[in-house]
Amino acid sequence: LIYNLGFKLAYHLPLDNAVKLGLVAPYEITVVQIPLNNKDKNVQSGSKANPFFQTEVKKYNYLSELVDKAPPGKGKMFKVLNRMRFIYGLKSKTDAAKFLLDKIIPQSERTLIFAGGIAQAEELCENSFHSKIKKDNTSFEDFKEKKINRMSCVNAVNEGHNIADLDVGLVVQLNSKALNLVQRIGRIVRYRPGHRAQIYILCAMGTQDEAWVAKAIAEL
């Protein structure tokens, strides 16, 4: 687009420089490392005809083994996506997010929760905004108008929406694209006098999640 319109990039402004210039609020990112559950057999596996339960560690190792053994192609990509969906729905991450919301993040602070999926978004907050909400759901409007202090979403508010005076961003799940983190942080760091943004990123230890988080923060 820049090339076709004949524009030139005159200046590149990193986020930290924007903070120094007072264009965005100072911020703090806390990466919360979450170990996979290696004790409770709470993950359903097997087939519909022969289901069984295993731990998160066992399930993740099994899915990773399938990825490693698969030859390049659509079959391997399907297995990669299966593992990704598993990470997105980890109960250990949902439990950690609930702990932060209950014990660490004050109820009085305006908090936007970025979940890994619709089911997780609805479990973490009674007010959620996503692609499958009912038409009479007013969570988004109530959150924008400051009638409520917490709202969960998946990707619906990454861009294209204006939400004022946010205090905290709880990123339960990132993906491999750094833009995903940039868009979400951008919601929280909008400048207002005295505001210091707090961003929590949950990361499943010993999984592909670590690579996604490291890549996103490095590019940020």
Side-chain angles (χ1 to χ4, degrees):
L1 181 62
I2 291 175
Y3 176 81
N4 289 336
L5 294 178
F7 293 158
K8 293 183 179 179
L9 183 64
Y11 189 69
H12 176 68
L13 185 65
L15 182 57
D16 287 347
N17 287 1
V19 171
K20 293 176 183 177
L21 292 171
L23 300 176
V24 299
Y27 66 94
E28 180 177 85
I29 297 176
T30 302
V31 178
V32 183
Q33 295 182 308
I34 312 298
L36 296 186
N37 191 326
N38 196 26
K39 179 181 177 181
D40 302 316
K41 294 183 178 181
N42 54 20
V43 180
Q44 185 170 339
S45 301
S47 62
K48 290 183 179 180
N50 297 295
F52 64 92
F53 288 85
Q54 57 186 167
T55 66
E56 288 181 343
V57 170
K58 288 283 189 180
K59 180 70 172 184
Y60 181 79
N61 289 341
Y62 169 73
L63 294 175
S64 292
E65 186 177 349
L66 292 180
V67 171
D68 294 339
K69 291 182 176 180
K74 291 183 179 179
K76 188 179 187 74
M77 182 56 63
F78 179 76
K79 291 176 174 58
V80 168
L81 291 174
N82 272 345
R83 183 177 65 178
M84 181 182 72
R85 282 191 287 267
F86 173 69
I87 294 173
Y88 279 20
L90 282 168
K91 184 179 184 300
S92 55
K93 294 186 78 173
T94 302
D95 291 344
K98 288 179 178 179
F99 176 83
L100 287 171
L101 292 166
D102 290 341
K103 305 295 185 182
I104 305 298
I105 302 172
Q107 294 276 351
S108 59
E109 295 193 342
R110 282 174 52 74
T111 302
L112 187 54
I113 306 158
F114 296 95
I118 291 174
Q120 188 180 65
E122 293 182 341
E123 184 174 353
L124 290 176
C125 187
E126 62 179 343
N127 301 295
S128 59
F129 180 62
H130 49 71
S131 60
K132 293 185 179 180
I133 60 170
K134 297 179 180 179
K135 291 183 178 181
D136 60 351
N137 188 311
T138 62
S139 294
F140 183 66
E141 289 75 18
D142 291 345
F143 190 61
K144 282 184 66 176
E145 295 172 10
K146 303 182 185 179
K147 294 179 181 178
I148 55 175
N149 280 340
R150 290 181 171 180
M151 187 184 76
S152 61
C153 62
V154 183
N155 294 312
V157 298
N158 279 4
E159 56 185 339
H161 295 285
N162 182 33
I163 306 174
D165 298 339
L166 296 179
D167 299 305
V168 180
L170 175 53
V171 183
V172 183
Q173 186 60 57
L174 279 176
N175 59 26
S176 60
K177 297 178 181 179
L179 177 62
N180 185 266
L181 177 60
V182 172
Q183 290 174 329
R184 293 175 175 190
I185 286 181
R187 298 285 167 196
I188 316 300
V189 299
R190 294 186 179 185
Y191 180 81
R192 67 181 189 271
H195 171 48
R196 180 178 180 83
Q198 178 67 60
I199 297 98
Y200 295 96
I201 302 173
L202 303 193
C203 179
M205 298 169 62
T207 73
Q208 186 64 29
D209 211 21
E210 289 185 321
W212 294 335
V213 172
K215 181 176 183 291
I217 290 180
E219 293 190 21
L220 174 71

